[in-house]
Amino acid sequence: MLMEKHPLQSKYPELHTSKPVEHEVARQRQHGERIPNEPAPKLEAWLRLLERTHTGKGGSEARQAAQPQIYERIKTLYHRPTQEGGYITGLDDASIERYLHHQARIAHEQGHGTIEDIMARANDQVRAEARETIRTDQERSLDAWLDYLISDDATYPMWFKYYTFRNITRLADYDKQKGEFPKRSKSTTAPFPDINREALAYMEDSLAKHYGLKAIDPDNTAEQITPETKALLDRDANFASLYKRAIEYAAPKHAESLNVTDGRWVKYDQTSDNSKSKELAHSLHGYGTGWCTAGEGMAHSQLSGGDFYIYYTKSEDGQYSVPRVAIRMQNQAGQQRIAEVRGIETDQNMEAELVPIADAKLAEIDSAGAERYKKCSEDMRRLTEIDNLLKDNPNAELSKDQLRFLYELDRKIEGFGYEKDPRIAEILQTRNPRADLAFVLDLQPEQISLSKSEALIGNILYHHGDLELSDLTTAKGIYLPANVGGYLSLNSLTTAEGLHLPETIGGDLYLNGLHTAEGLHLPKTIGGGLYLSGLTTAEGLHLPKTIGGDLYLSGLTTAEGLHLPKTIGGDLYLSGLTSAEGLQLPETIGGSLFLGA
């Protein structure tokens, strides 16, 4: 169905004449593209640029190989304060004071002293840590949106992705007392709103139908836009109002049915038949699963790609109609392979009681793919065991193995949802991390750091979490911890002079600013990826035998002097090579190989 008016033209009448759109249209015309001087084709031309920039789709092979680095640069730009062209707010001194005063009031209400006394203890270190907390929370909540919208799971049209991101960056997290999403200002310290994938799917369906992009069967009430949503659309309500309404519509209405585990699996065969995808989507309506499959468009996209299984448990009327587990398959060269497994807990994690049921089904439909999910299942079992132990006795002692697992010292805990299982954070909030880690690692508490400021005081043997030091331009006089549990970012360093890296890094190591490896001594163990995209020569580069994640050496033009690790767990980027002469590849590459030669 042809649209009478482009949705973005309706929402933003001046967008098609804005400088970014006009510039991109002129560029494409210079390259021979015929773009009519109408709002819709101009906007679509510009949206293609946004999609290519953020995902690499439609670009050359070399462009796609470089996409991970480009995407990280995009994130870095978005992580700037608003006055520098980014989206991060509330980092100025006045906003930090308001934030600390709010925290002091909460502490006062919990009996921790007067607000004045609490504020009097707020020294420069407290203010620095508050600023870092605000920044980190905003960056992570913004990244969650960006990661989802560019993922293969979000098969929405580009206009809807732009509309969503443009608006979400103007809103703060939901205010339950006021019942609204507050508008962001330069002083906002709150994170960005949470993602509700099911609500987004409802929104896209309703907007597409409202603008004539999707047909509606007048005789099928399930396809109609709900009266409340239609009223909002008719008066051109803003994104915040539509999103709030969609979340309310997606809210679970059958909580009493969630105590039941007796159920049946229903298979939806791969098909492009709209009636089948609508049947799948409508079976999820009103249950608050959080699954984007509840949107007709998303259900059609997913069912076109592979089979779909839903585990329905009994409702109050005795029918098997309450969706609890979803397994999405993807047809790969004629074989149905497991693509996603989702539950209805927070962030689409699975209820512990249903994990064995899901395990059995996974083994039945894709035994090879099920192996990948066994680890998730085992992790969920161990987490449930710890969770139940502490619920029965909050003072119960945890073993070293349990604490190593809980603090993810050896590897990340993997669940079935998009985000970390919320139980991890809930348990850790009740723990004393310094005492736990000292016990597990056989260290003194003062040898452990939990913040950036603590990590740089010297004599630290273990830093818990990530260590963001991209603001450092020199390593002289810097004493890094002997071991870092998360990632370490030193992207602004241009030379390794004075740099003494930790012996082990559990996550990624970012050294993209280095142009030479002279004086560089890398850690013995890197659990994540190693980013050295700025290197133009391999001279003096001594890589570890094993790298757990990706290896970026895209700045190298020759393999001369390059000795790669035996094992790389992720992708290997050598897209800058002009010749593969002398190149000896690793014995094992867990991901893809990107060569420029």
Side-chain angles (χ1 to χ4, degrees):
M1 180 181 295
L2 293 175
M3 58 183 131
E4 296 179 5
K5 199 174 186 180
H6 197 285
L8 294 185
Q9 184 189 1
S10 299
K11 290 291 183 183
Y12 315 112
E14 307 300 324
L15 181 60
H16 71 282
T17 59
S18 64
K19 286 184 179 180
V21 175
E22 295 286 15
H23 176 79
E24 176 58 18
V25 169
R27 189 194 67 81
Q28 290 191 28
R29 284 172 176 166
Q30 287 175 353
H31 286 76
E33 294 288 335
R34 293 185 178 181
I35 302 173
N37 198 30
E38 303 287 336
K42 288 170 66 179
L43 289 169
E44 285 299 312
W46 178 63
L47 289 172
R48 286 194 296 273
L49 169 68
L50 293 185
E51 182 173 31
R52 186 169 63 252
T53 302
H54 288 76
T55 68
K57 293 177 181 177
S60 65
E61 184 176 336
R63 172 66 177 74
Q64 292 181 44
Q67 182 57 33
Q69 296 165 274
I70 295 171
Y71 184 46
E72 287 304 315
R73 288 201 294 268
I74 289 172
K75 280 187 174 180
T76 299
L77 291 173
Y78 289 172
H79 290 172
R80 291 177 177 177
T82 51
Q83 60 268 31
E84 297 176 16
Y87 295 109
I88 305 303
T89 58
L91 300 181
D92 59 285
D93 291 345
S95 298
I96 299 299
E97 289 304 308
R98 283 191 293 271
Y99 172 84
L100 289 174
H101 193 274
H102 176 69
Q103 298 299 315
R105 181 174 59 79
I106 294 173
H108 167 65
E109 291 171 354
Q110 294 174 344
H112 296 294
T114 67
I115 293 176
E116 291 76 14
D117 288 343
I118 296 169
M119 286 299 294
R121 296 194 293 270
N123 55 24
D124 288 345
Q125 180 178 333
V126 170
R127 286 175 172 79
E129 291 177 356
R131 182 174 280 106
E132 189 62 27
T133 296
I134 292 167
R135 183 199 301 276
T136 300
D137 287 349
Q138 290 189 30
E139 287 179 357
R140 288 178 179 172
S141 59
L142 183 64
D143 286 352
W145 279 98
L146 196 58
D147 291 344
Y148 174 64
L149 290 174
I150 72 162
S151 71
D152 292 335
D153 295 335
T155 57
Y156 301 114
M158 196 61 197
W159 68 262
F160 181 72
K161 294 182 180 183
Y162 168 77
Y163 168 66
T164 299
F165 192 73
R166 171 173 172 149
N167 282 279
I168 217 68
T169 55
R170 289 163 166 78
L171 299 176
D173 205 4
Y174 189 69
D175 187 324
K176 293 182 179 180
Q177 290 184 332
K178 295 181 179 179
E180 63 180 23
F181 289 99
K183 290 183 179 180
R184 297 190 79 83
S185 68
K186 292 181 179 180
S187 61
T188 299
T189 56
F192 295 90
D194 287 336
I195 302 175
N196 187 311
R197 293 165 179 81
E198 183 177 351
L200 276 184
Y202 288 145
M203 275 187 68
E204 192 272 333
D205 263 348
S206 299
L207 284 164
K209 290 172 180 176
H210 179 71
Y211 289 114
L213 303 178
K214 290 183 181 178
I216 304 176
D217 182 355
D219 298 324
N220 189 340
T221 55
E223 291 187 23
Q224 310 301 312
I225 302 174
T226 64
E228 296 87 349
T229 302
K230 188 176 186 306
L232 291 172
L233 291 168
D234 287 344
R235 62 181 176 87
D236 197 26
N238 60 24
F239 177 94
S241 299
L242 291 170
Y243 190 42
K244 177 189 173 185
R245 170 58 198 152
I247 290 172
E248 291 170 348
Y249 182 68
K253 305 173 181 62
H254 303 268
E256 62 276 10
S257 300
L258 300 184
N259 296 320
V260 179
T261 58
D262 174 36
R264 291 178 180 174
W265 286 101
V266 174
K267 178 187 178 186
Y268 296 86
D269 292 315
Q270 179 180 359
T271 179
S272 296
D273 185 341
N274 278 324
S275 66
K276 296 298 183 182
S277 56
K278 288 178 180 178
E279 178 185 340
L280 168 59
H282 295 169
S283 76
L284 308 179
H285 288 187
Y287 290 98
T289 60
W291 304 338
C292 57
T293 314
E296 293 173 14
M298 191 63 74
H300 178 75
S301 174
Q302 293 180 343
L303 205 54
S304 296
D307 297 339
F308 210 104
Y309 295 84
I310 303 282
Y311 186 70
Y312 298 96
T313 54
K314 276 187 179 180
S315 62
E316 305 87 52
D317 60 6
Q319 300 297 311
Y320 291 98
S321 59
V322 182
R324 306 285 286 281
V325 181
I327 302 175
R328 180 174 71 84
M329 310 295 285
Q330 187 68 37
N331 191 322
Q332 298 178 1
Q335 297 290 319
Q336 295 285 341
R337 297 301 185 194
I338 298 166
E340 285 186 275
V341 182
R342 299 288 177 248
I344 63 168
E345 290 280 49
T346 304
D347 292 323
Q348 300 181 28
N349 281 288
M350 199 180 303
E351 300 157 274
E353 298 83 0
L354 297 182
V355 168
I357 295 171
D359 282 348
K361 192 65 177 178
L362 291 169
E364 173 193 328
I365 60 179
D366 180 11
S367 57
E371 289 297 320
R372 299 193 304 269
Y373 286 88
K374 275 188 177 180
K375 181 173 177 294
C376 297
S377 179
E378 174 61 17
D379 282 0
M380 292 302 96
R381 184 197 65 77
R382 292 187 68 184
L383 184 60
T384 300
E385 183 181 75
I386 295 172
D387 189 34
N388 289 339
L389 174 65
L390 295 176
K391 281 179 179 177
D392 292 340
N393 179 10
N395 297 316
E397 290 188 7
L398 298 182
S399 68
K400 283 190 175 183
D401 283 345
Q402 287 174 321
L403 289 171
R404 291 191 74 91
F405 171 77
L406 190 59
Y407 283 94
E408 303 177 284
L409 296 182
D410 302 307
R411 59 175 179 80
K412 299 295 182 185
I413 298 173
E414 294 186 22
F416 295 103
Y418 281 98
E419 307 293 342
K420 277 186 175 296
D421 192 304
R423 292 178 296 174
I424 301 171
E426 290 168 5
I427 295 172
L428 290 178
Q429 283 177 356
T430 68
R431 308 294 302 178
N432 181 334
R434 203 182 304 276
D436 282 345
L437 291 168
F439 168 61
V440 171
L441 301 172
D442 295 321
L443 298 175
Q444 296 300 312
E446 60 270 18
Q447 295 174 316
I448 293 170
S449 61
L450 303 175
S451 67
K452 175 180 175 179
S453 56
E454 290 180 354
L456 301 181
I457 61 176
N459 298 318
I460 297 298
L461 298 185
Y462 182 79
H463 176 75
H464 179 58
D466 300 327
L467 192 50
E468 176 57 61
L469 299 174
S470 289
D471 54 335
L472 293 182
T473 57
T474 177
K476 292 181 180 179
I478 299 298
Y479 300 95
L480 295 173
N483 301 277
V484 173
Y487 74 71
L488 172 60
S489 180
L490 292 161
N491 269 335
S492 294
L493 293 184
T494 57
T495 172
E497 185 179 357
L499 178 61
H500 300 283
L501 289 168
E503 293 181 13
T504 65
I505 295 177
D508 300 326
L509 174 57
Y510 295 92
L511 291 166
N512 285 317
L514 295 184
H515 301 301
T516 173
E518 183 180 355
L520 178 63
H521 300 283
L522 291 168
K524 294 179 180 178
T525 302
I526 300 176
L530 174 58
Y531 295 77
L532 291 164
S533 57
L535 288 186
T536 56
T537 173
E539 184 178 354
L541 179 62
H542 302 284
L543 295 167
K545 292 182 179 180
T546 300
I547 292 176
D550 301 333
L551 174 57
Y552 280 81
L553 292 168
S554 51
L556 298 183
T557 57
T558 173
E560 184 179 354
L562 178 61
H563 302 284
L564 292 167
K566 288 185 178 181
T567 302
I568 296 175
D571 299 332
L572 172 57
Y573 289 87
L574 293 166
S575 50
L577 290 185
T578 55
S579 170
E581 184 178 354
L583 178 63
Q584 296 290 323
L585 292 173
E587 295 177 4
T588 303
I589 300 176
S592 300
L593 171 63
F594 296 93
L595 289 175

